[in-house]
Amino acid sequence: MAPPSAIDVIGISDTQSVTFSDHLSVNGVPARRSKAPVMDGGVAAFASSDMFKTPGYDKPKAKRWDRIISLGAGLPSSEYFPFERIDIKVPNPPQFSEKETKESGLTTSAGKHDIAEGKSLYDLHVALNYGQGTGSAQILRFVTEHTEIVHHPPYQDWQCTMSIGTTSATDMAFRMFTTRGEYILTEEFTFPSAVETARPLGLKCIGIKMDAGGLLPSDMDSILTNWDSAAHGGARKPWLLYTVPTGQNPTGATQSEQRRRDVYQVAQKHDVFILEDEPYYFLQMQPYRGPSQPSPPAPSSHEEFLNSLVPSFLSLDVDGRVMRMDSFSKVIAPGSRIGWITASAQIVERYVRHSELSTQNPSGISQIVLYKLLEDTWGHGGYFDWLIHIRMQYTRRRNNICHACEQFLPRQVASWKVPDAGMFHWLKINWTLHPRAAEKSMLAIEEEIFEKSVARGVLLVRGSWFRAEEEIKTIAPPPPPPPSSTPHASSDANGTAPQHRHEQQPKPTSSHDDTPASRQEELFFRATFASVDEANVVEAIRRFGDALREIFDLE
């Protein structure tokens, strides 16, 4: 008697599977077809026998009969690459400090012919030559696994492909999704490079109002529901949202899970595609407890760490309407110029075509350095240990700047929300309390604060420079309002001035808005606590506080 045939079970959904025998019979064809996915039989549809036959995982593959000596590819010979080996000394988890790395770090090497010599799956012979637009298979495998561990996208045909950083990925996305004359949705204060990337492509940005928790879904819905093409030069309703949901630059705002779900629902309602720019996702910090209280302890496990992260738009994306842009810039090194995107197979295929004709492929040296660190040395577990480490380091730096603000900034005019993630502290200044507020515009007072601060030896970035809508940056000075309409400073029960509520602030409609409503524009400054040592951050905030006291005639 012949042995029983092997059986192959293929999952179709969470609750459905199809069972195939490895020996197909005539009578078995109808049953197989009835249970298989629907065939795409459209005009010039892609097809392959692999779509219709039994996979046969237990069978060997056929011998290859390659006999071609290729003289086609314009590749230089690695014989003339003047690099025989690269040695890299990296931290040995969990000893991540510079001192510990110097004393007890691990040295890993990449040689020119490690693959042929059986030492590694990646070497300089491969890394230093031309590559694919997808990036190297070796590093793409790692980021794909990482993406699945962290986000587990809820649809089947998601893919990753490498980028040379988010700025480049944003440029390619704008080229893919928009045409000249269209509008892009974004936060009312946003990353200036995104705005400047859009400008030469003939695109304009529409700023969605924000509160302390990020962009407001209600305002996004209102903009789209009431879109008037005629009032916007004939432009169709925007269908692309660019957002930085975590530790947003410049405001430091982090959208909660519910806020992200609400934004996603608005996107579904209006069929909007979301560009999720997340360089600060893993810089989500421990809760702030005040100047005299220590931060909570670090997560005790990888599972605890991952569960503490706010779910990403990618993890909520049931439609395939999100392109997530990740980067090693903020968690490893910006000079690596390596990142990746995650989106549906359709979007990734288009992105790869764009990259093949522009950036071509990420830096081979950067890719092999990251591979030796992440794959050959740390692995996924070591990388998560590193991410937990930098969370605690950035928590300490965030706490330091908040302590300095509480000590040195005049609460009569300055207020802030403690950032939950990222690298930035967003300071609101009540400019209406300026002694000459009745005759000076908000922008004039902002400039005065900026220049006085620089004169005192400290530089913070003016909030108006981050405005998504260009016309708002050039508001003309308004006429003096009636005395009764002048706002006054107030504090909450804890002595902190109220946080900004953008949804309550009417925005001017042109660059020459002289109505009293234009006075309601708010004034902000952005400070970063990421790269300056803690003592200098404290001194910088002290100098900024002195400048404010001088300008506002405070004791």
Side-chain angles (χ1 to χ4, degrees), residues 363-413:
S363 162
I365 290 180
S366 292
Q367 288 188 93
I368 198 167
V369 166
L370 286 171
Y371 176 83
K372 301 306 289 188
L373 172 70
L374 299 173
E375 181 71 44
D376 274 5
T377 307
W378 284 356
H380 289 289
Y383 184 43
F384 284 128
D385 289 339
W386 168 256
L387 294 175
I388 293 171
H389 168 74
I390 61 173
R391 163 186 278 201
M392 302 307 295
Q393 296 301 307
Y394 276 96
T395 297
R396 191 189 75 242
R397 287 174 176 266
R398 184 275 315 271
N399 292 351
N400 179 65
I401 196 171
C402 289
H403 297 169
C405 289
E406 291 165 1
Q407 183 177 1
F408 293 115
L409 295 189
R411 293 297 188 89
Q412 302 96 313
V413 297

Short mmCIF file of all heavy atoms in Angstrom, two decimals, residues 363-413:
data_model
loop_
_atom_site.label_atom_id
_atom_site.label_comp_id
_atom_site.label_asym_id
_atom_site.label_seq_id
_atom_site.Cartn_x
_atom_site.Cartn_y
_atom_site.Cartn_z
N SER A 363 22.91 53.84 1.58
CA SER A 363 24.36 53.68 1.68
C SER A 363 24.73 52.27 2.11
O SER A 363 24.25 51.76 3.14
CB SER A 363 24.93 54.68 2.70
OG SER A 363 26.22 54.30 3.13
N GLY A 364 25.60 51.63 1.34
CA GLY A 364 26.04 50.29 1.68
C GLY A 364 26.84 50.24 2.97
O GLY A 364 26.70 49.31 3.77
N ILE A 365 27.70 51.25 3.19
CA ILE A 365 28.47 51.28 4.43
C ILE A 365 27.53 51.41 5.64
O ILE A 365 27.69 50.71 6.64
CB ILE A 365 29.49 52.44 4.40
CG1 ILE A 365 30.60 52.13 3.39
CG2 ILE A 365 30.08 52.69 5.78
CD1 ILE A 365 31.66 53.20 3.27
N SER A 366 26.54 52.29 5.54
CA SER A 366 25.59 52.45 6.64
C SER A 366 24.82 51.15 6.88
O SER A 366 24.60 50.74 8.04
CB SER A 366 24.61 53.58 6.34
OG SER A 366 25.26 54.82 6.35
N GLN A 367 24.41 50.50 5.81
CA GLN A 367 23.63 49.28 5.97
C GLN A 367 24.45 48.17 6.65
O GLN A 367 23.94 47.48 7.55
CB GLN A 367 23.12 48.78 4.62
CG GLN A 367 22.00 49.65 4.04
CD GLN A 367 21.39 49.04 2.81
OE1 GLN A 367 20.41 48.31 2.86
NE2 GLN A 367 21.99 49.34 1.65
N ILE A 368 25.69 48.00 6.25
CA ILE A 368 26.47 46.91 6.86
C ILE A 368 26.86 47.24 8.29
O ILE A 368 26.93 46.34 9.15
CB ILE A 368 27.69 46.55 6.00
CG1 ILE A 368 28.20 45.15 6.40
CG2 ILE A 368 28.81 47.58 6.12
CD1 ILE A 368 29.19 44.54 5.43
N VAL A 369 27.08 48.52 8.60
CA VAL A 369 27.37 48.90 9.99
C VAL A 369 26.15 48.60 10.87
O VAL A 369 26.27 48.03 11.97
CB VAL A 369 27.77 50.38 10.07
CG1 VAL A 369 27.73 50.87 11.53
CG2 VAL A 369 29.16 50.60 9.49
N LEU A 370 24.96 48.97 10.39
CA LEU A 370 23.75 48.68 11.16
C LEU A 370 23.50 47.18 11.26
O LEU A 370 23.04 46.68 12.30
CB LEU A 370 22.54 49.38 10.52
CG LEU A 370 22.48 50.89 10.73
CD1 LEU A 370 21.37 51.50 9.88
CD2 LEU A 370 22.26 51.22 12.20
N TYR A 371 23.81 46.45 10.19
CA TYR A 371 23.62 45.00 10.22
C TYR A 371 24.53 44.37 11.27
O TYR A 371 24.09 43.51 12.05
CB TYR A 371 23.93 44.40 8.84
CG TYR A 371 23.86 42.89 8.81
CD1 TYR A 371 22.63 42.24 8.65
CD2 TYR A 371 25.01 42.12 8.95
CE1 TYR A 371 22.56 40.85 8.63
CE2 TYR A 371 24.94 40.73 8.94
CZ TYR A 371 23.72 40.10 8.77
OH TYR A 371 23.64 38.73 8.75
N LYS A 372 25.78 44.78 11.31
CA LYS A 372 26.70 44.21 12.28
C LYS A 372 26.27 44.54 13.71
O LYS A 372 26.46 43.74 14.62
CB LYS A 372 28.13 44.71 12.04
CG LYS A 372 28.71 44.40 10.66
CD LYS A 372 28.66 42.94 10.31
CE LYS A 372 29.64 42.11 11.11
NZ LYS A 372 29.72 40.71 10.61
N LEU A 373 25.69 45.72 13.90
CA LEU A 373 25.21 46.11 15.22
C LEU A 373 23.93 45.36 15.59
O LEU A 373 23.85 44.70 16.63
CB LEU A 373 24.96 47.62 15.27
CG LEU A 373 24.27 48.16 16.52
CD1 LEU A 373 25.19 48.07 17.72
CD2 LEU A 373 23.80 49.60 16.31
N LEU A 374 22.91 45.48 14.72
CA LEU A 374 21.57 45.01 15.07
C LEU A 374 21.41 43.50 14.91
O LEU A 374 20.74 42.85 15.71
CB LEU A 374 20.53 45.73 14.20
CG LEU A 374 20.47 47.25 14.36
CD1 LEU A 374 19.52 47.85 13.34
CD2 LEU A 374 20.04 47.62 15.77
N GLU A 375 21.99 42.94 13.87
CA GLU A 375 21.78 41.52 13.57
C GLU A 375 22.89 40.66 14.18
O GLU A 375 22.61 39.71 14.91
CB GLU A 375 21.74 41.32 12.05
CG GLU A 375 21.51 39.88 11.62
CD GLU A 375 20.09 39.40 11.92
OE1 GLU A 375 19.14 40.15 11.65
OE2 GLU A 375 19.96 38.27 12.43
N ASP A 376 24.13 40.97 13.87
CA ASP A 376 25.23 40.11 14.29
C ASP A 376 25.60 40.27 15.76
O ASP A 376 26.22 39.36 16.34
CB ASP A 376 26.47 40.37 13.44
CG ASP A 376 26.46 39.57 12.14
OD1 ASP A 376 25.45 38.89 11.89
OD2 ASP A 376 27.45 39.62 11.40
N THR A 377 25.26 41.41 16.37
CA THR A 377 25.69 41.65 17.76
C THR A 377 24.51 41.66 18.73
O THR A 377 24.46 40.89 19.68
CB THR A 377 26.47 42.97 17.87
OG1 THR A 377 27.53 42.98 16.91
CG2 THR A 377 27.07 43.13 19.26
N TRP A 378 23.56 42.57 18.52
CA TRP A 378 22.48 42.73 19.49
C TRP A 378 21.33 41.76 19.29
O TRP A 378 20.79 41.22 20.25
CB TRP A 378 21.95 44.16 19.42
CG TRP A 378 22.80 45.19 20.06
CD1 TRP A 378 23.96 44.98 20.76
CD2 TRP A 378 22.57 46.61 20.08
NE1 TRP A 378 24.47 46.18 21.21
CE2 TRP A 378 23.64 47.19 20.80
CE3 TRP A 378 21.60 47.42 19.56
CZ2 TRP A 378 23.73 48.56 21.01
CZ3 TRP A 378 21.68 48.79 19.76
CH2 TRP A 378 22.74 49.35 20.48
N GLY A 379 20.88 41.59 18.06
CA GLY A 379 19.64 40.87 17.83
C GLY A 379 18.46 41.75 18.24
O GLY A 379 18.62 42.87 18.74
N HIS A 380 17.25 41.24 18.04
CA HIS A 380 16.06 42.03 18.38
C HIS A 380 16.00 42.33 19.88
O HIS A 380 15.61 43.44 20.28
CB HIS A 380 14.80 41.29 17.94
CG HIS A 380 14.61 41.27 16.46
ND1 HIS A 380 14.27 42.39 15.73
CD2 HIS A 380 14.74 40.26 15.55
CE1 HIS A 380 14.19 42.07 14.45
NE2 HIS A 380 14.46 40.79 14.31
N GLY A 381 16.38 41.36 20.71
CA GLY A 381 16.34 41.59 22.15
C GLY A 381 17.29 42.68 22.59
O GLY A 381 16.93 43.56 23.38
N GLY A 382 18.51 42.65 22.06
CA GLY A 382 19.47 43.69 22.41
C GLY A 382 19.04 45.07 21.93
O GLY A 382 19.28 46.08 22.61
N TYR A 383 18.39 45.12 20.77
CA TYR A 383 17.91 46.40 20.25
C TYR A 383 16.82 46.96 21.16
O TYR A 383 16.80 48.16 21.46
CB TYR A 383 17.41 46.24 18.83
CG TYR A 383 16.99 47.53 18.16
CD1 TYR A 383 17.75 48.69 18.29
CD2 TYR A 383 15.81 47.61 17.42
CE1 TYR A 383 17.36 49.88 17.69
CE2 TYR A 383 15.42 48.79 16.80
CZ TYR A 383 16.19 49.92 16.94
OH TYR A 383 15.81 51.10 16.35
N PHE A 384 15.91 46.11 21.63
CA PHE A 384 14.89 46.60 22.55
C PHE A 384 15.51 47.04 23.87
O PHE A 384 15.05 48.01 24.49
CB PHE A 384 13.81 45.53 22.77
CG PHE A 384 12.85 45.39 21.62
CD1 PHE A 384 12.60 44.16 21.06
CD2 PHE A 384 12.21 46.50 21.09
CE1 PHE A 384 11.73 44.03 19.99
CE2 PHE A 384 11.33 46.39 20.02
CZ PHE A 384 11.09 45.14 19.47
N ASP A 385 16.55 46.34 24.32
CA ASP A 385 17.25 46.80 25.52
C ASP A 385 17.82 48.21 25.32
O ASP A 385 17.77 49.06 26.22
CB ASP A 385 18.41 45.85 25.86
CG ASP A 385 17.93 44.50 26.37
OD1 ASP A 385 16.78 44.42 26.84
OD2 ASP A 385 18.71 43.52 26.29
N TRP A 386 18.36 48.46 24.12
CA TRP A 386 18.89 49.78 23.80
C TRP A 386 17.78 50.84 23.80
O TRP A 386 17.94 51.94 24.33
CB TRP A 386 19.59 49.75 22.45
CG TRP A 386 19.93 51.10 21.89
CD1 TRP A 386 19.30 51.78 20.89
CD2 TRP A 386 21.01 51.96 22.33
NE1 TRP A 386 19.90 52.99 20.67
CE2 TRP A 386 20.95 53.13 21.53
CE3 TRP A 386 21.99 51.85 23.29
CZ2 TRP A 386 21.84 54.17 21.68
CZ3 TRP A 386 22.89 52.90 23.45
CH2 TRP A 386 22.81 54.04 22.65
N LEU A 387 16.63 50.50 23.23
CA LEU A 387 15.52 51.45 23.17
C LEU A 387 15.00 51.77 24.57
O LEU A 387 14.62 52.91 24.85
CB LEU A 387 14.40 50.89 22.31
CG LEU A 387 14.74 50.72 20.82
CD1 LEU A 387 13.58 50.04 20.07
CD2 LEU A 387 15.07 52.05 20.17
N ILE A 388 14.99 50.78 25.46
CA ILE A 388 14.62 51.05 26.85
C ILE A 388 15.65 51.97 27.50
O ILE A 388 15.30 52.91 28.24
CB ILE A 388 14.49 49.73 27.62
CG1 ILE A 388 13.29 48.92 27.10
CG2 ILE A 388 14.34 50.00 29.13
CD1 ILE A 388 13.22 47.51 27.66
N HIS A 389 16.91 51.73 27.21
CA HIS A 389 17.99 52.57 27.76
C HIS A 389 17.82 54.03 27.34
O HIS A 389 17.88 54.93 28.19
CB HIS A 389 19.33 52.03 27.29
CG HIS A 389 20.48 52.95 27.54
ND1 HIS A 389 21.02 53.16 28.79
CD2 HIS A 389 21.20 53.74 26.67
CE1 HIS A 389 22.01 54.03 28.71
NE2 HIS A 389 22.15 54.39 27.44
N ILE A 390 17.60 54.28 26.04
CA ILE A 390 17.50 55.68 25.62
C ILE A 390 16.20 56.30 26.08
O ILE A 390 16.12 57.52 26.27
CB ILE A 390 17.69 55.85 24.10
CG1 ILE A 390 16.64 55.10 23.30
CG2 ILE A 390 19.09 55.41 23.68
CD1 ILE A 390 16.71 55.40 21.81
N ARG A 391 15.15 55.49 26.30
CA ARG A 391 13.94 56.05 26.92
C ARG A 391 14.29 56.67 28.27
O ARG A 391 13.87 57.80 28.58
CB ARG A 391 12.87 54.97 27.11
CG ARG A 391 11.79 55.41 28.10
CD ARG A 391 10.81 54.32 28.44
NE ARG A 391 9.78 54.22 27.42
CZ ARG A 391 8.59 53.66 27.62
NH1 ARG A 391 8.28 53.16 28.79
NH2 ARG A 391 7.71 53.60 26.65
N MET A 392 15.03 55.95 29.08
CA MET A 392 15.36 56.45 30.42
C MET A 392 16.29 57.65 30.34
O MET A 392 16.18 58.58 31.15
CB MET A 392 15.98 55.33 31.25
CG MET A 392 15.09 54.09 31.41
SD MET A 392 13.42 54.48 32.02
CE MET A 392 13.79 55.10 33.66
N GLN A 393 17.20 57.66 29.38
CA GLN A 393 18.11 58.79 29.23
C GLN A 393 17.34 60.06 28.83
O GLN A 393 17.59 61.15 29.37
CB GLN A 393 19.18 58.48 28.19
CG GLN A 393 20.10 57.33 28.58
CD GLN A 393 20.82 57.58 29.89
OE1 GLN A 393 21.46 58.61 30.07
NE2 GLN A 393 20.71 56.64 30.81
N TYR A 394 16.43 59.92 27.87
CA TYR A 394 15.65 61.08 27.44
C TYR A 394 14.65 61.51 28.52
O TYR A 394 14.33 62.70 28.64
CB TYR A 394 14.95 60.81 26.12
CG TYR A 394 15.85 61.06 24.93
CD1 TYR A 394 16.56 60.02 24.33
CD2 TYR A 394 16.02 62.34 24.42
CE1 TYR A 394 17.41 60.25 23.25
CE2 TYR A 394 16.85 62.59 23.36
CZ TYR A 394 17.55 61.54 22.78
OH TYR A 394 18.39 61.78 21.72
N THR A 395 14.16 60.57 29.31
CA THR A 395 13.30 60.94 30.44
C THR A 395 14.06 61.84 31.40
O THR A 395 13.53 62.86 31.88
CB THR A 395 12.80 59.68 31.17
OG1 THR A 395 12.00 58.89 30.28
CG2 THR A 395 11.99 60.05 32.39
N ARG A 396 15.31 61.49 31.70
CA ARG A 396 16.12 62.32 32.59
C ARG A 396 16.35 63.71 32.02
O ARG A 396 16.23 64.72 32.73
CB ARG A 396 17.46 61.62 32.85
CG ARG A 396 18.26 62.26 33.97
CD ARG A 396 19.67 61.73 34.08
NE ARG A 396 20.52 62.26 33.00
CZ ARG A 396 21.10 61.52 32.08
NH1 ARG A 396 20.94 60.20 32.06
NH2 ARG A 396 21.86 62.07 31.14
N ARG A 397 16.63 63.78 30.72
CA ARG A 397 16.86 65.09 30.10
C ARG A 397 15.57 65.91 30.06
O ARG A 397 15.59 67.13 30.27
CB ARG A 397 17.42 64.90 28.68
CG ARG A 397 18.87 64.42 28.66
CD ARG A 397 19.35 64.11 27.26
NE ARG A 397 20.77 63.75 27.25
CZ ARG A 397 21.77 64.58 27.03
NH1 ARG A 397 21.51 65.86 26.80
NH2 ARG A 397 23.02 64.18 27.04
N ARG A 398 14.45 65.26 29.77
CA ARG A 398 13.15 65.96 29.79
C ARG A 398 12.85 66.51 31.18
O ARG A 398 12.42 67.67 31.33
CB ARG A 398 12.06 64.98 29.34
CG ARG A 398 10.64 65.55 29.19
CD ARG A 398 9.82 65.58 30.48
NE ARG A 398 9.86 64.38 31.28
CZ ARG A 398 9.04 63.34 31.16
NH1 ARG A 398 8.11 63.34 30.23
NH2 ARG A 398 9.15 62.30 31.97
N ASN A 399 13.07 65.69 32.18
CA ASN A 399 12.83 66.14 33.56
C ASN A 399 13.71 67.33 33.91
O ASN A 399 13.27 68.27 34.59
CB ASN A 399 13.09 64.99 34.53
CG ASN A 399 12.09 63.86 34.41
OD1 ASN A 399 11.08 64.00 33.71
ND2 ASN A 399 12.36 62.76 35.08
N ASN A 400 14.93 67.32 33.44
CA ASN A 400 15.87 68.40 33.74
C ASN A 400 15.38 69.74 33.20
O ASN A 400 15.41 70.76 33.91
CB ASN A 400 17.24 68.06 33.16
CG ASN A 400 18.27 69.15 33.40
OD1 ASN A 400 18.66 69.42 34.53
ND2 ASN A 400 18.73 69.78 32.33
N ILE A 401 14.91 69.77 31.94
CA ILE A 401 14.47 71.04 31.38
C ILE A 401 13.17 71.50 32.05
O ILE A 401 12.96 72.70 32.27
CB ILE A 401 14.32 70.97 29.85
CG1 ILE A 401 14.24 72.39 29.27
CG2 ILE A 401 13.10 70.16 29.43
CD1 ILE A 401 14.30 72.43 27.74
N CYS A 402 12.31 70.55 32.42
CA CYS A 402 11.07 70.94 33.09
C CYS A 402 11.36 71.50 34.48
O CYS A 402 10.74 72.49 34.90
CB CYS A 402 10.13 69.75 33.18
SG CYS A 402 9.42 69.27 31.59
N HIS A 403 12.32 70.89 35.18
CA HIS A 403 12.72 71.44 36.49
C HIS A 403 13.26 72.86 36.32
O HIS A 403 12.94 73.76 37.13
CB HIS A 403 13.80 70.56 37.13
CG HIS A 403 13.35 69.16 37.42
ND1 HIS A 403 14.23 68.16 37.79
CD2 HIS A 403 12.12 68.59 37.40
CE1 HIS A 403 13.55 67.04 37.98
NE2 HIS A 403 12.27 67.28 37.75
N ALA A 404 14.07 73.09 35.31
CA ALA A 404 14.64 74.42 35.08
C ALA A 404 13.55 75.43 34.77
O ALA A 404 13.60 76.58 35.25
CB ALA A 404 15.65 74.35 33.93
N CYS A 405 12.57 75.04 33.97
CA CYS A 405 11.46 75.95 33.65
C CYS A 405 10.68 76.32 34.91
O CYS A 405 10.29 77.48 35.11
CB CYS A 405 10.53 75.31 32.62
SG CYS A 405 11.24 75.20 30.96
N GLU A 406 10.43 75.32 35.76
CA GLU A 406 9.70 75.59 37.00
C GLU A 406 10.48 76.53 37.91
O GLU A 406 9.90 77.32 38.66
CB GLU A 406 9.41 74.27 37.71
CG GLU A 406 8.39 73.41 36.97
CD GLU A 406 8.36 71.97 37.46
OE1 GLU A 406 9.11 71.64 38.40
OE2 GLU A 406 7.59 71.18 36.89
N GLN A 407 11.79 76.48 37.81
CA GLN A 407 12.63 77.30 38.69
C GLN A 407 12.86 78.71 38.16
O GLN A 407 12.89 79.67 38.94
CB GLN A 407 13.98 76.60 38.89
CG GLN A 407 14.92 77.32 39.85
CD GLN A 407 16.21 76.56 40.07
OE1 GLN A 407 16.43 75.49 39.48
NE2 GLN A 407 17.08 77.10 40.92
N PHE A 408 12.97 78.87 36.83
CA PHE A 408 13.47 80.14 36.30
C PHE A 408 12.48 80.91 35.41
O PHE A 408 12.70 82.10 35.18
CB PHE A 408 14.75 79.89 35.48
CG PHE A 408 15.90 79.43 36.32
CD1 PHE A 408 16.44 78.16 36.15
CD2 PHE A 408 16.46 80.25 37.28
CE1 PHE A 408 17.51 77.73 36.91
CE2 PHE A 408 17.54 79.83 38.05
CZ PHE A 408 18.06 78.56 37.87
N LEU A 409 11.45 80.31 34.88
CA LEU A 409 10.56 81.04 33.98
C LEU A 409 9.44 81.72 34.75
O LEU A 409 8.86 81.13 35.67
CB LEU A 409 9.96 80.10 32.93
CG LEU A 409 10.95 79.46 31.94
CD1 LEU A 409 10.18 78.74 30.82
CD2 LEU A 409 11.90 80.49 31.34
N PRO A 410 9.12 82.96 34.38
CA PRO A 410 8.04 83.68 35.07
C PRO A 410 6.67 83.11 34.70
O PRO A 410 6.25 83.17 33.55
CB PRO A 410 8.20 85.12 34.57
CG PRO A 410 8.88 84.99 33.25
CD PRO A 410 9.75 83.79 33.35
N ARG A 411 5.97 82.55 35.68
CA ARG A 411 4.69 81.92 35.41
C ARG A 411 3.61 82.92 35.01
O ARG A 411 2.57 82.52 34.49
CB ARG A 411 4.23 81.15 36.65
CG ARG A 411 5.09 79.94 37.00
CD ARG A 411 5.05 78.88 35.89
NE ARG A 411 5.72 77.66 36.29
CZ ARG A 411 5.11 76.64 36.91
NH1 ARG A 411 3.84 76.72 37.21
NH2 ARG A 411 5.79 75.57 37.25
N GLN A 412 3.87 84.20 35.26
CA GLN A 412 2.87 85.19 34.85
C GLN A 412 2.65 85.18 33.33
O GLN A 412 1.55 85.46 32.85
CB GLN A 412 3.29 86.60 35.28
CG GLN A 412 3.52 86.76 36.77
CD GLN A 412 4.98 86.63 37.13
OE1 GLN A 412 5.64 85.69 36.68
NE2 GLN A 412 5.49 87.56 37.95
N VAL A 413 3.71 84.85 32.57
CA VAL A 413 3.61 84.92 31.11
C VAL A 413 3.97 83.62 30.41
O VAL A 413 3.67 83.45 29.23
CB VAL A 413 4.50 86.06 30.55
CG1 VAL A 413 4.03 87.41 31.07
CG2 VAL A 413 5.97 85.82 30.90
#
